[in-house]
Amino acid sequence: MDTDFKLYMILLGCKPKGRFTEQHDIFFGIGTSPEALKEEMYAFWPDAGTLHIDSWREVTTVEGCTIKVVPRKSMRPGGDKLFFINLGGYRPGDFEEYHYKMIMVAPTMAEAIKKSKASAFYKHFGFRGAESHIDDKYGIDVDDVYPVEDMLAPHFREKYALELAAAQNPREDILHIGYLKIGPV
């Protein structure tokens, strides 16, 4: 068993051909390090050109739960799941849409959405006529919340599952913020 495999959340950046500004997307992968997932990142975003990492996180603890990568065949159904939510919001006078990316533990999408509405970002990055929202929608809509397992490439989903358990001494994950060049495949 690949006992050293971890779940990684990576903010990818690139400037695709024909674009004027840098573009971003979130990638979830299972591996031993962000660098070890380079081929999977390029497969995820094949028309990106040259990718780089703007930030990354080894996902080990979320909301008091430990997150472990386990063989799919050993996973029991039911229980809490890990959800990714991308909130979008605005500030008066700023020609920008700000984003806040969250990972939440909840038994259902509806509960994850409810929890996201309680976030400081949701409350403070919106104003009349430009309310905070989960990306692509005004207001909260379950279509824009994703179970993290569903965001993994099929070969990861076939082999692995994410096991959530109450953490004894939860420690926040380290957020690695800043440009990391990964180069072409």
PDB file of all heavy atoms in Angstrom, residues 45-83:
ATOM      1  N   TRP A  45      -5.131  20.130 -16.779  1.00  0.00           N
ATOM      2  CA  TRP A  45      -5.291  21.401 -17.503  1.00  0.00           C
ATOM      3  C   TRP A  45      -4.414  21.362 -18.757  1.00  0.00           C
ATOM      4  O   TRP A  45      -3.402  22.038 -18.845  1.00  0.00           O
ATOM      5  CB  TRP A  45      -4.909  22.560 -16.604  1.00  0.00           C
ATOM      6  CG  TRP A  45      -5.454  23.885 -16.988  1.00  0.00           C
ATOM      7  CD1 TRP A  45      -6.083  24.232 -18.142  1.00  0.00           C
ATOM      8  CD2 TRP A  45      -5.395  25.075 -16.192  1.00  0.00           C
ATOM      9  NE1 TRP A  45      -6.426  25.566 -18.122  1.00  0.00           N
ATOM     10  CE2 TRP A  45      -6.021  26.100 -16.933  1.00  0.00           C
ATOM     11  CE3 TRP A  45      -4.887  25.371 -14.950  1.00  0.00           C
ATOM     12  CZ2 TRP A  45      -6.126  27.405 -16.455  1.00  0.00           C
ATOM     13  CZ3 TRP A  45      -5.000  26.666 -14.470  1.00  0.00           C
ATOM     14  CH2 TRP A  45      -5.616  27.673 -15.209  1.00  0.00           C
ATOM     15  N   PRO A  46      -4.791  20.560 -19.755  1.00  0.00           N
ATOM     16  CA  PRO A  46      -3.924  20.313 -20.903  1.00  0.00           C
ATOM     17  C   PRO A  46      -3.653  21.536 -21.787  1.00  0.00           C
ATOM     18  O   PRO A  46      -2.623  21.603 -22.439  1.00  0.00           O
ATOM     19  CB  PRO A  46      -4.660  19.225 -21.689  1.00  0.00           C
ATOM     20  CG  PRO A  46      -6.075  19.309 -21.246  1.00  0.00           C
ATOM     21  CD  PRO A  46      -6.050  19.822 -19.835  1.00  0.00           C
ATOM     22  N   ASP A  47      -4.550  22.507 -21.837  1.00  0.00           N
ATOM     23  CA  ASP A  47      -4.345  23.678 -22.700  1.00  0.00           C
ATOM     24  C   ASP A  47      -3.784  24.875 -21.932  1.00  0.00           C
ATOM     25  O   ASP A  47      -3.812  25.999 -22.421  1.00  0.00           O
ATOM     26  CB  ASP A  47      -5.659  24.059 -23.388  1.00  0.00           C
ATOM     27  CG  ASP A  47      -6.773  24.392 -22.406  1.00  0.00           C
ATOM     28  OD1 ASP A  47      -6.648  24.033 -21.215  1.00  0.00           O
ATOM     29  OD2 ASP A  47      -7.774  25.006 -22.823  1.00  0.00           O
ATOM     30  N   ALA A  48      -3.208  24.637 -20.785  1.00  0.00           N
ATOM     31  CA  ALA A  48      -2.734  25.725 -19.930  1.00  0.00           C
ATOM     32  C   ALA A  48      -1.445  26.364 -20.414  1.00  0.00           C
ATOM     33  O   ALA A  48      -1.146  27.501 -20.058  1.00  0.00           O
ATOM     34  CB  ALA A  48      -2.531  25.213 -18.504  1.00  0.00           C
ATOM     35  N   GLY A  49      -0.655  25.662 -21.174  1.00  0.00           N
ATOM     36  CA  GLY A  49       0.690  26.160 -21.468  1.00  0.00           C
ATOM     37  C   GLY A  49       1.599  25.693 -20.340  1.00  0.00           C
ATOM     38  O   GLY A  49       1.535  24.543 -19.921  1.00  0.00           O
ATOM     39  N   THR A  50       2.429  26.599 -19.817  1.00  0.00           N
ATOM     40  CA  THR A  50       3.320  26.252 -18.714  1.00  0.00           C
ATOM     41  C   THR A  50       2.648  26.580 -17.393  1.00  0.00           C
ATOM     42  O   THR A  50       2.266  27.724 -17.146  1.00  0.00           O
ATOM     43  CB  THR A  50       4.655  27.020 -18.835  1.00  0.00           C
ATOM     44  OG1 THR A  50       5.249  26.688 -20.091  1.00  0.00           O
ATOM     45  CG2 THR A  50       5.603  26.628 -17.717  1.00  0.00           C
ATOM     46  N   LEU A  51       2.494  25.577 -16.564  1.00  0.00           N
ATOM     47  CA  LEU A  51       1.846  25.749 -15.254  1.00  0.00           C
ATOM     48  C   LEU A  51       2.853  26.145 -14.180  1.00  0.00           C
ATOM     49  O   LEU A  51       4.037  25.851 -14.280  1.00  0.00           O
ATOM     50  CB  LEU A  51       1.196  24.435 -14.820  1.00  0.00           C
ATOM     51  CG  LEU A  51      -0.042  23.978 -15.560  1.00  0.00           C
ATOM     52  CD1 LEU A  51      -0.399  22.548 -15.167  1.00  0.00           C
ATOM     53  CD2 LEU A  51      -1.207  24.912 -15.276  1.00  0.00           C
ATOM     54  N   HIS A  52       2.327  26.794 -13.161  1.00  0.00           N
ATOM     55  CA  HIS A  52       3.071  27.014 -11.928  1.00  0.00           C
ATOM     56  C   HIS A  52       2.104  26.856 -10.766  1.00  0.00           C
ATOM     57  O   HIS A  52       0.890  26.819 -10.954  1.00  0.00           O
ATOM     58  CB  HIS A  52       3.754  28.393 -11.896  1.00  0.00           C
ATOM     59  CG  HIS A  52       2.790  29.535 -11.889  1.00  0.00           C
ATOM     60  ND1 HIS A  52       2.328  30.123 -13.054  1.00  0.00           N
ATOM     61  CD2 HIS A  52       2.184  30.191 -10.871  1.00  0.00           C
ATOM     62  CE1 HIS A  52       1.489  31.102 -12.741  1.00  0.00           C
ATOM     63  NE2 HIS A  52       1.369  31.165 -11.422  1.00  0.00           N
ATOM     64  N   ILE A  53       2.637  26.734  -9.572  1.00  0.00           N
ATOM     65  CA  ILE A  53       1.818  26.618  -8.358  1.00  0.00           C
ATOM     66  C   ILE A  53       1.870  27.947  -7.630  1.00  0.00           C
ATOM     67  O   ILE A  53       2.954  28.479  -7.381  1.00  0.00           O
ATOM     68  CB  ILE A  53       2.350  25.476  -7.462  1.00  0.00           C
ATOM     69  CG1 ILE A  53       2.185  24.125  -8.166  1.00  0.00           C
ATOM     70  CG2 ILE A  53       1.646  25.477  -6.105  1.00  0.00           C
ATOM     71  CD1 ILE A  53       2.833  22.953  -7.438  1.00  0.00           C
ATOM     72  N   ASP A  54       0.706  28.497  -7.301  1.00  0.00           N
ATOM     73  CA  ASP A  54       0.645  29.736  -6.530  1.00  0.00           C
ATOM     74  C   ASP A  54       0.495  29.470  -5.036  1.00  0.00           C
ATOM     75  O   ASP A  54       0.878  30.303  -4.224  1.00  0.00           O
ATOM     76  CB  ASP A  54      -0.491  30.640  -7.029  1.00  0.00           C
ATOM     77  CG  ASP A  54      -0.087  31.392  -8.283  1.00  0.00           C
ATOM     78  OD1 ASP A  54       0.990  32.020  -8.269  1.00  0.00           O
ATOM     79  OD2 ASP A  54      -0.820  31.346  -9.273  1.00  0.00           O
ATOM     80  N   SER A  55      -0.088  28.355  -4.676  1.00  0.00           N
ATOM     81  CA  SER A  55      -0.121  27.923  -3.281  1.00  0.00           C
ATOM     82  C   SER A  55      -0.540  26.458  -3.237  1.00  0.00           C
ATOM     83  O   SER A  55      -1.110  25.942  -4.191  1.00  0.00           O
ATOM     84  CB  SER A  55      -1.058  28.792  -2.431  1.00  0.00           C
ATOM     85  OG  SER A  55      -2.361  28.790  -2.932  1.00  0.00           O
ATOM     86  N   TRP A  56      -0.208  25.809  -2.123  1.00  0.00           N
ATOM     87  CA  TRP A  56      -0.585  24.413  -1.979  1.00  0.00           C
ATOM     88  C   TRP A  56      -0.703  24.064  -0.507  1.00  0.00           C
ATOM     89  O   TRP A  56      -0.197  24.768   0.357  1.00  0.00           O
ATOM     90  CB  TRP A  56       0.383  23.481  -2.693  1.00  0.00           C
ATOM     91  CG  TRP A  56       1.793  23.464  -2.177  1.00  0.00           C
ATOM     92  CD1 TRP A  56       2.794  24.308  -2.541  1.00  0.00           C
ATOM     93  CD2 TRP A  56       2.349  22.568  -1.218  1.00  0.00           C
ATOM     94  NE1 TRP A  56       3.942  23.989  -1.868  1.00  0.00           N
ATOM     95  CE2 TRP A  56       3.698  22.915  -1.042  1.00  0.00           C
ATOM     96  CE3 TRP A  56       1.839  21.497  -0.482  1.00  0.00           C
ATOM     97  CZ2 TRP A  56       4.540  22.245  -0.176  1.00  0.00           C
ATOM     98  CZ3 TRP A  56       2.685  20.825   0.385  1.00  0.00           C
ATOM     99  CH2 TRP A  56       4.015  21.198   0.517  1.00  0.00           C
ATOM    100  N   ARG A  57      -1.382  22.956  -0.285  1.00  0.00           N
ATOM    101  CA  ARG A  57      -1.651  22.488   1.067  1.00  0.00           C
ATOM    102  C   ARG A  57      -1.710  20.969   1.056  1.00  0.00           C
ATOM    103  O   ARG A  57      -2.379  20.381   0.213  1.00  0.00           O
ATOM    104  CB  ARG A  57      -2.999  23.074   1.502  1.00  0.00           C
ATOM    105  CG  ARG A  57      -3.620  22.483   2.728  1.00  0.00           C
ATOM    106  CD  ARG A  57      -5.001  23.082   2.936  1.00  0.00           C
ATOM    107  NE  ARG A  57      -5.625  22.561   4.134  1.00  0.00           N
ATOM    108  CZ  ARG A  57      -6.804  22.947   4.576  1.00  0.00           C
ATOM    109  NH1 ARG A  57      -7.499  23.852   3.915  1.00  0.00           N
ATOM    110  NH2 ARG A  57      -7.304  22.424   5.668  1.00  0.00           N
ATOM    111  N   GLU A  58      -1.001  20.354   1.975  1.00  0.00           N
ATOM    112  CA  GLU A  58      -1.186  18.933   2.229  1.00  0.00           C
ATOM    113  C   GLU A  58      -2.382  18.860   3.157  1.00  0.00           C
ATOM    114  O   GLU A  58      -2.351  19.388   4.265  1.00  0.00           O
ATOM    115  CB  GLU A  58       0.050  18.334   2.890  1.00  0.00           C
ATOM    116  CG  GLU A  58      -0.079  16.863   3.182  1.00  0.00           C
ATOM    117  CD  GLU A  58       1.141  16.305   3.897  1.00  0.00           C
ATOM    118  OE1 GLU A  58       2.276  16.675   3.534  1.00  0.00           O
ATOM    119  OE2 GLU A  58       0.937  15.501   4.828  1.00  0.00           O
ATOM    120  N   VAL A  59      -3.468  18.257   2.706  1.00  0.00           N
ATOM    121  CA  VAL A  59      -4.714  18.252   3.473  1.00  0.00           C
ATOM    122  C   VAL A  59      -4.665  17.098   4.475  1.00  0.00           C
ATOM    123  O   VAL A  59      -4.834  15.936   4.099  1.00  0.00           O
ATOM    124  CB  VAL A  59      -5.949  18.131   2.549  1.00  0.00           C
ATOM    125  CG1 VAL A  59      -7.234  18.180   3.366  1.00  0.00           C
ATOM    126  CG2 VAL A  59      -5.940  19.236   1.488  1.00  0.00           C
ATOM    127  N   THR A  60      -4.422  17.443   5.734  1.00  0.00           N
ATOM    128  CA  THR A  60      -4.339  16.425   6.789  1.00  0.00           C
ATOM    129  C   THR A  60      -5.394  16.630   7.872  1.00  0.00           C
ATOM    130  O   THR A  60      -5.802  15.667   8.509  1.00  0.00           O
ATOM    131  CB  THR A  60      -2.954  16.425   7.460  1.00  0.00           C
ATOM    132  OG1 THR A  60      -2.730  17.707   8.071  1.00  0.00           O
ATOM    133  CG2 THR A  60      -1.856  16.138   6.450  1.00  0.00           C
ATOM    134  N   THR A  61      -5.810  17.890   8.069  1.00  0.00           N
ATOM    135  CA  THR A  61      -6.791  18.208   9.110  1.00  0.00           C
ATOM    136  C   THR A  61      -7.749  19.274   8.596  1.00  0.00           C
ATOM    137  O   THR A  61      -7.310  20.296   8.086  1.00  0.00           O
ATOM    138  CB  THR A  61      -6.092  18.735  10.389  1.00  0.00           C
ATOM    139  OG1 THR A  61      -5.105  17.800  10.805  1.00  0.00           O
ATOM    140  CG2 THR A  61      -7.091  18.938  11.508  1.00  0.00           C
ATOM    141  N   VAL A  62      -9.043  19.020   8.737  1.00  0.00           N
ATOM    142  CA  VAL A  62     -10.069  19.996   8.361  1.00  0.00           C
ATOM    143  C   VAL A  62     -11.144  19.962   9.431  1.00  0.00           C
ATOM    144  O   VAL A  62     -11.702  18.892   9.726  1.00  0.00           O
ATOM    145  CB  VAL A  62     -10.688  19.676   6.977  1.00  0.00           C
ATOM    146  CG1 VAL A  62     -11.803  20.659   6.647  1.00  0.00           C
ATOM    147  CG2 VAL A  62      -9.622  19.676   5.887  1.00  0.00           C
ATOM    148  N   GLU A  63     -11.409  21.110  10.017  1.00  0.00           N
ATOM    149  CA  GLU A  63     -12.472  21.256  11.010  1.00  0.00           C
ATOM    150  C   GLU A  63     -12.447  20.156  12.077  1.00  0.00           C
ATOM    151  O   GLU A  63     -13.470  19.537  12.374  1.00  0.00           O
ATOM    152  CB  GLU A  63     -13.846  21.288  10.327  1.00  0.00           C
ATOM    153  CG  GLU A  63     -14.013  22.480   9.410  1.00  0.00           C
ATOM    154  CD  GLU A  63     -15.418  22.580   8.855  1.00  0.00           C
ATOM    155  OE1 GLU A  63     -15.843  21.641   8.146  1.00  0.00           O
ATOM    156  OE2 GLU A  63     -16.075  23.584   9.147  1.00  0.00           O
ATOM    157  N   GLY A  64     -11.274  19.899  12.633  1.00  0.00           N
ATOM    158  CA  GLY A  64     -11.164  18.922  13.714  1.00  0.00           C
ATOM    159  C   GLY A  64     -11.160  17.472  13.283  1.00  0.00           C
ATOM    160  O   GLY A  64     -11.209  16.574  14.120  1.00  0.00           O
ATOM    161  N   CYS A  65     -11.089  17.215  11.980  1.00  0.00           N
ATOM    162  CA  CYS A  65     -11.038  15.842  11.466  1.00  0.00           C
ATOM    163  C   CYS A  65      -9.700  15.589  10.783  1.00  0.00           C
ATOM    164  O   CYS A  65      -9.195  16.453  10.061  1.00  0.00           O
ATOM    165  CB  CYS A  65     -12.139  15.606  10.433  1.00  0.00           C
ATOM    166  SG  CYS A  65     -13.784  15.544  11.133  1.00  0.00           S
ATOM    167  N   THR A  66      -9.149  14.398  10.992  1.00  0.00           N
ATOM    168  CA  THR A  66      -7.975  13.999  10.230  1.00  0.00           C
ATOM    169  C   THR A  66      -8.450  13.448   8.891  1.00  0.00           C
ATOM    170  O   THR A  66      -9.520  12.837   8.797  1.00  0.00           O
ATOM    171  CB  THR A  66      -7.145  12.917  10.952  1.00  0.00           C
ATOM    172  OG1 THR A  66      -7.973  11.779  11.178  1.00  0.00           O
ATOM    173  CG2 THR A  66      -6.587  13.431  12.263  1.00  0.00           C
ATOM    174  N   ILE A  67      -7.647  13.708   7.872  1.00  0.00           N
ATOM    175  CA  ILE A  67      -7.955  13.243   6.521  1.00  0.00           C
ATOM    176  C   ILE A  67      -6.851  12.279   6.126  1.00  0.00           C
ATOM    177  O   ILE A  67      -5.673  12.648   6.104  1.00  0.00           O
ATOM    178  CB  ILE A  67      -7.996  14.420   5.513  1.00  0.00           C
ATOM    179  CG1 ILE A  67      -8.820  15.596   6.031  1.00  0.00           C
ATOM    180  CG2 ILE A  67      -8.456  13.927   4.146  1.00  0.00           C
ATOM    181  CD1 ILE A  67     -10.258  15.310   6.352  1.00  0.00           C
ATOM    182  N   LYS A  68      -7.235  11.049   5.819  1.00  0.00           N
ATOM    183  CA  LYS A  68      -6.262  10.043   5.411  1.00  0.00           C
ATOM    184  C   LYS A  68      -6.658   9.458   4.066  1.00  0.00           C
ATOM    185  O   LYS A  68      -7.843   9.265   3.790  1.00  0.00           O
ATOM    186  CB  LYS A  68      -6.187   8.909   6.435  1.00  0.00           C
ATOM    187  CG  LYS A  68      -5.582   9.325   7.753  1.00  0.00           C
ATOM    188  CD  LYS A  68      -5.476   8.148   8.683  1.00  0.00           C
ATOM    189  CE  LYS A  68      -4.901   8.610  10.015  1.00  0.00           C
ATOM    190  NZ  LYS A  68      -4.922   7.539  11.009  1.00  0.00           N
ATOM    191  N   VAL A  69      -5.650   9.179   3.252  1.00  0.00           N
ATOM    192  CA  VAL A  69      -5.854   8.483   1.984  1.00  0.00           C
ATOM    193  C   VAL A  69      -5.777   6.996   2.292  1.00  0.00           C
ATOM    194  O   VAL A  69      -4.798   6.525   2.869  1.00  0.00           O
ATOM    195  CB  VAL A  69      -4.774   8.894   0.962  1.00  0.00           C
ATOM    196  CG1 VAL A  69      -4.902   8.081  -0.310  1.00  0.00           C
ATOM    197  CG2 VAL A  69      -4.855  10.397   0.671  1.00  0.00           C
ATOM    198  N   VAL A  70      -6.832   6.277   1.943  1.00  0.00           N
ATOM    199  CA  VAL A  70      -6.895   4.834   2.211  1.00  0.00           C
ATOM    200  C   VAL A  70      -7.290   4.105   0.930  1.00  0.00           C
ATOM    201  O   VAL A  70      -7.863   4.707   0.014  1.00  0.00           O
ATOM    202  CB  VAL A  70      -7.914   4.503   3.339  1.00  0.00           C
ATOM    203  CG1 VAL A  70      -7.501   5.162   4.660  1.00  0.00           C
ATOM    204  CG2 VAL A  70      -9.324   4.909   2.950  1.00  0.00           C
ATOM    205  N   PRO A  71      -7.000   2.800   0.846  1.00  0.00           N
ATOM    206  CA  PRO A  71      -7.456   2.044  -0.327  1.00  0.00           C
ATOM    207  C   PRO A  71      -8.983   2.077  -0.416  1.00  0.00           C
ATOM    208  O   PRO A  71      -9.677   1.949   0.592  1.00  0.00           O
ATOM    209  CB  PRO A  71      -6.977   0.613  -0.041  1.00  0.00           C
ATOM    210  CG  PRO A  71      -5.928   0.729   1.003  1.00  0.00           C
ATOM    211  CD  PRO A  71      -6.260   1.964   1.795  1.00  0.00           C
ATOM    212  N   ARG A  72      -9.497   2.267  -1.592  1.00  0.00           N
ATOM    213  CA  ARG A  72     -10.947   2.354  -1.796  1.00  0.00           C
ATOM    214  C   ARG A  72     -11.646   1.115  -1.236  1.00  0.00           C
ATOM    215  O   ARG A  72     -12.696   1.222  -0.618  1.00  0.00           O
ATOM    216  CB  ARG A  72     -11.261   2.511  -3.286  1.00  0.00           C
ATOM    217  CG  ARG A  72     -12.735   2.345  -3.553  1.00  0.00           C
ATOM    218  CD  ARG A  72     -13.470   3.374  -4.314  1.00  0.00           C
ATOM    219  NE  ARG A  72     -13.022   4.711  -4.411  1.00  0.00           N
ATOM    220  CZ  ARG A  72     -13.570   5.730  -3.718  1.00  0.00           C
ATOM    221  NH1 ARG A  72     -14.522   5.527  -2.832  1.00  0.00           N
ATOM    222  NH2 ARG A  72     -13.149   6.957  -3.903  1.00  0.00           N
ATOM    223  N   LYS A  73     -11.077  -0.069  -1.432  1.00  0.00           N
ATOM    224  CA  LYS A  73     -11.729  -1.303  -0.999  1.00  0.00           C
ATOM    225  C   LYS A  73     -11.871  -1.396   0.518  1.00  0.00           C
ATOM    226  O   LYS A  73     -12.711  -2.145   1.017  1.00  0.00           O
ATOM    227  CB  LYS A  73     -10.998  -2.524  -1.554  1.00  0.00           C
ATOM    228  CG  LYS A  73      -9.591  -2.665  -1.067  1.00  0.00           C
ATOM    229  CD  LYS A  73      -8.885  -3.820  -1.725  1.00  0.00           C
ATOM    230  CE  LYS A  73      -7.438  -3.842  -1.256  1.00  0.00           C
ATOM    231  NZ  LYS A  73      -6.529  -4.253  -2.251  1.00  0.00           N
ATOM    232  N   SER A  74     -11.096  -0.635   1.289  1.00  0.00           N
ATOM    233  CA  SER A  74     -11.188  -0.703   2.752  1.00  0.00           C
ATOM    234  C   SER A  74     -12.149   0.346   3.328  1.00  0.00           C
ATOM    235  O   SER A  74     -12.413   0.343   4.531  1.00  0.00           O
ATOM    236  CB  SER A  74      -9.805  -0.513   3.385  1.00  0.00           C
ATOM    237  OG  SER A  74      -9.381   0.832   3.241  1.00  0.00           O
ATOM    238  N   MET A  75     -12.684   1.204   2.486  1.00  0.00           N
ATOM    239  CA  MET A  75     -13.549   2.299   2.951  1.00  0.00           C
ATOM    240  C   MET A  75     -14.967   1.804   3.192  1.00  0.00           C
ATOM    241  O   MET A  75     -15.539   1.113   2.351  1.00  0.00           O
ATOM    242  CB  MET A  75     -13.546   3.408   1.897  1.00  0.00           C
ATOM    243  CG  MET A  75     -14.164   4.677   2.353  1.00  0.00           C
ATOM    244  SD  MET A  75     -13.214   5.378   3.691  1.00  0.00           S
ATOM    245  CE  MET A  75     -14.235   6.759   4.058  1.00  0.00           C
ATOM    246  N   ARG A  76     -15.514   2.197   4.341  1.00  0.00           N
ATOM    247  CA  ARG A  76     -16.916   1.894   4.641  1.00  0.00           C
ATOM    248  C   ARG A  76     -17.788   3.080   4.218  1.00  0.00           C
ATOM    249  O   ARG A  76     -17.397   4.219   4.407  1.00  0.00           O
ATOM    250  CB  ARG A  76     -17.082   1.634   6.137  1.00  0.00           C
ATOM    251  CG  ARG A  76     -16.491   0.285   6.537  1.00  0.00           C
ATOM    252  CD  ARG A  76     -16.569   0.079   8.025  1.00  0.00           C
ATOM    253  NE  ARG A  76     -15.423   0.807   8.589  1.00  0.00           N
ATOM    254  CZ  ARG A  76     -15.402   1.373   9.788  1.00  0.00           C
ATOM    255  NH1 ARG A  76     -16.438   1.307  10.572  1.00  0.00           N
ATOM    256  NH2 ARG A  76     -14.339   1.999  10.216  1.00  0.00           N
ATOM    257  N   PRO A  77     -18.962   2.835   3.670  1.00  0.00           N
ATOM    258  CA  PRO A  77     -19.826   3.940   3.229  1.00  0.00           C
ATOM    259  C   PRO A  77     -20.406   4.710   4.418  1.00  0.00           C
ATOM    260  O   PRO A  77     -20.474   4.207   5.531  1.00  0.00           O
ATOM    261  CB  PRO A  77     -20.937   3.240   2.439  1.00  0.00           C
ATOM    262  CG  PRO A  77     -20.927   1.831   2.906  1.00  0.00           C
ATOM    263  CD  PRO A  77     -19.537   1.528   3.388  1.00  0.00           C
ATOM    264  N   GLY A  78     -20.820   5.951   4.117  1.00  0.00           N
ATOM    265  CA  GLY A  78     -21.476   6.777   5.127  1.00  0.00           C
ATOM    266  C   GLY A  78     -20.517   7.723   5.810  1.00  0.00           C
ATOM    267  O   GLY A  78     -19.326   7.744   5.535  1.00  0.00           O
ATOM    268  N   GLY A  79     -21.058   8.518   6.704  1.00  0.00           N
ATOM    269  CA  GLY A  79     -20.238   9.458   7.469  1.00  0.00           C
ATOM    270  C   GLY A  79     -20.041  10.780   6.759  1.00  0.00           C
ATOM    271  O   GLY A  79     -20.606  11.044   5.698  1.00  0.00           O
ATOM    272  N   ASP A  80     -19.221  11.616   7.380  1.00  0.00           N
ATOM    273  CA  ASP A  80     -18.936  12.933   6.826  1.00  0.00           C
ATOM    274  C   ASP A  80     -18.089  12.830   5.569  1.00  0.00           C
ATOM    275  O   ASP A  80     -17.365  11.851   5.361  1.00  0.00           O
ATOM    276  CB  ASP A  80     -18.199  13.792   7.858  1.00  0.00           C
ATOM    277  CG  ASP A  80     -19.115  14.312   8.956  1.00  0.00           C
ATOM    278  OD1 ASP A  80     -20.338  14.411   8.713  1.00  0.00           O
ATOM    279  OD2 ASP A  80     -18.606  14.621  10.040  1.00  0.00           O
ATOM    280  N   LYS A  81     -18.192  13.871   4.754  1.00  0.00           N
ATOM    281  CA  LYS A  81     -17.420  13.975   3.520  1.00  0.00           C
ATOM    282  C   LYS A  81     -16.668  15.298   3.530  1.00  0.00           C
ATOM    283  O   LYS A  81     -16.984  16.212   4.288  1.00  0.00           O
ATOM    284  CB  LYS A  81     -18.352  13.918   2.316  1.00  0.00           C
ATOM    285  CG  LYS A  81     -19.064  12.605   2.141  1.00  0.00           C
ATOM    286  CD  LYS A  81     -19.955  12.640   0.912  1.00  0.00           C
ATOM    287  CE  LYS A  81     -20.601  11.312   0.657  1.00  0.00           C
ATOM    288  NZ  LYS A  81     -21.804  11.075   1.404  1.00  0.00           N
ATOM    289  N   LEU A  82     -15.706  15.395   2.640  1.00  0.00           N
ATOM    290  CA  LEU A  82     -14.937  16.615   2.459  1.00  0.00           C
ATOM    291  C   LEU A  82     -15.490  17.345   1.241  1.00  0.00           C
ATOM    292  O   LEU A  82     -15.637  16.749   0.172  1.00  0.00           O
ATOM    293  CB  LEU A  82     -13.480  16.218   2.220  1.00  0.00           C
ATOM    294  CG  LEU A  82     -12.388  17.211   2.531  1.00  0.00           C
ATOM    295  CD1 LEU A  82     -12.466  17.684   3.969  1.00  0.00           C
ATOM    296  CD2 LEU A  82     -11.031  16.574   2.255  1.00  0.00           C
ATOM    297  N   PHE A  83     -15.813  18.642   1.401  1.00  0.00           N
ATOM    298  CA  PHE A  83     -16.368  19.447   0.313  1.00  0.00           C
ATOM    299  C   PHE A  83     -15.463  20.631   0.013  1.00  0.00           C
ATOM    300  O   PHE A  83     -14.896  21.242   0.921  1.00  0.00           O
ATOM    301  CB  PHE A  83     -17.763  19.976   0.676  1.00  0.00           C
ATOM    302  CG  PHE A  83     -18.807  18.908   0.748  1.00  0.00           C
ATOM    303  CD1 PHE A  83     -19.101  18.287   1.949  1.00  0.00           C
ATOM    304  CD2 PHE A  83     -19.491  18.511  -0.388  1.00  0.00           C
ATOM    305  CE1 PHE A  83     -20.052  17.288   2.027  1.00  0.00           C
ATOM    306  CE2 PHE A  83     -20.455  17.509  -0.323  1.00  0.00           C
ATOM    307  CZ  PHE A  83     -20.740  16.896   0.889  1.00  0.00           C
TER     308      PHE A  83
END
